[in-house]
Amino acid sequence: GGYTSSAFRPPVSFTLPDGWLIAGNAPDYLSLQPAASDAIGIHLFRSPRAASQDAECPIAPAPNVGPTAAELVEWIEARPGLVVSDPVPVTVGGLAGLGIDVGIVAGWTASCPFADGIPTVPLFVGAGDSSFRWVVAGSERLRLAVLDVPGQGTVVVDIDAFDGALMDDLLADATPIVASMTFGLP
């Protein structure tokens, strides 16, 4: 059915099919996932910052990375350890930006201390007092739409399969949900 986030800013409306639920709803993070799996889903981030690449993987931003969609995508493309598709222009819910596919490079061995040796690359942390941290790990695959909110930061829409082998089926299910999204004024 049709839903509007009760907390995420800017407000976002969307349609979820049967079997999907709202797993997280905060001003800077919204999570939509199938009820049967927390290994796949759609995650929205409000004005995420590029994550520090320090070996300890702190919840801290990387220095000197701008906040626009183009700046974040350029930074992601330059991360050692990531394979990133060429950016393409995208529009989601009235917001424009860039779309990329992201995964871990074969043979990457660096790992965050909390990842039990699984190869990882820190990606995003929350802005301000937020404490979210998002890393790319193992076989995970992401399709990111990094969108500019005119004059007010960004929104990232992440179609995410922690088990990369599930990505093709997830894209078939998640793409109509993302296409249904409409963002309100922040």
Side-chain angles (χ1 to χ4, degrees), residues 74-100:
E74 182 179 342
W75 177 83
I76 293 167
E77 287 180 296
R79 290 308 88 216
L82 293 181
V83 58
V84 181
S85 67
D86 290 335
V88 296
V90 296
T91 301
V92 176
L95 300 178
L98 296 168
I100 54 175

Side-chain angles (χ1 to χ4, degrees), residues 3-10 12 14-17 19-35 37-46 132-134 140 155-162 170 174 177-178 181 183:
Y3 299 90
T4 298
S5 166
S6 60
F8 191 80
R9 294 293 174 251
V12 59
F14 49 89
T15 302
L16 288 180
W20 280 69
L21 56 86
I22 300 170
N25 192 9
D28 63 351
Y29 176 71
L30 176 67
S31 175
L32 310 173
Q33 66 188 48
S37 175
D38 62 0
I40 59 174
I42 303 167
H43 307 275
L44 280 71
F45 303 96
R46 175 65 163 124
F132 74 74
R133 165 181 37 213
W134 207 254
E140 185 174 11
V155 168
V156 174
V157 178
D158 170 17
I159 299 174
D160 197 307
F162 187 70
L170 173 60
I177 297 169
V178 172
M181 291 180 176
F183 291 96

Side-chain angles (χ1 to χ4, degrees), residues 29-149:
Y29 176 71
L30 176 67
S31 175
L32 310 173
Q33 66 188 48
S37 175
D38 62 0
I40 59 174
I42 303 167
H43 307 275
L44 280 71
F45 303 96
R46 175 65 163 124
S47 293
R49 304 282 309 274
S52 167
Q53 298 299 291
D54 182 278
E56 295 301 311
C57 301
I59 300 176
N64 305 317
V65 180
T68 68
E71 291 165 318
L72 286 170
V73 167
E74 182 179 342
W75 177 83
I76 293 167
E77 287 180 296
R79 290 308 88 216
L82 293 181
V83 58
V84 181
S85 67
D86 290 335
V88 296
V90 296
T91 301
V92 176
L95 300 178
L98 296 168
I100 54 175
D101 290 341
V102 178
I104 296 272
V105 170
W108 184 255
T109 59
S111 182
C112 289
F114 56 80
D116 295 328
I118 296 171
T120 54
V121 176
L123 193 61
F124 297 127
V125 294
D129 293 332
S130 177
S131 62
F132 74 74
R133 165 181 37 213
W134 207 254
V135 300
V136 183
S139 70
E140 185 174 11
R141 291 176 51 200
L142 300 80
R143 174 158 293 167
L144 302 177
V146 185
L147 310 167
D148 287 310
V149 179

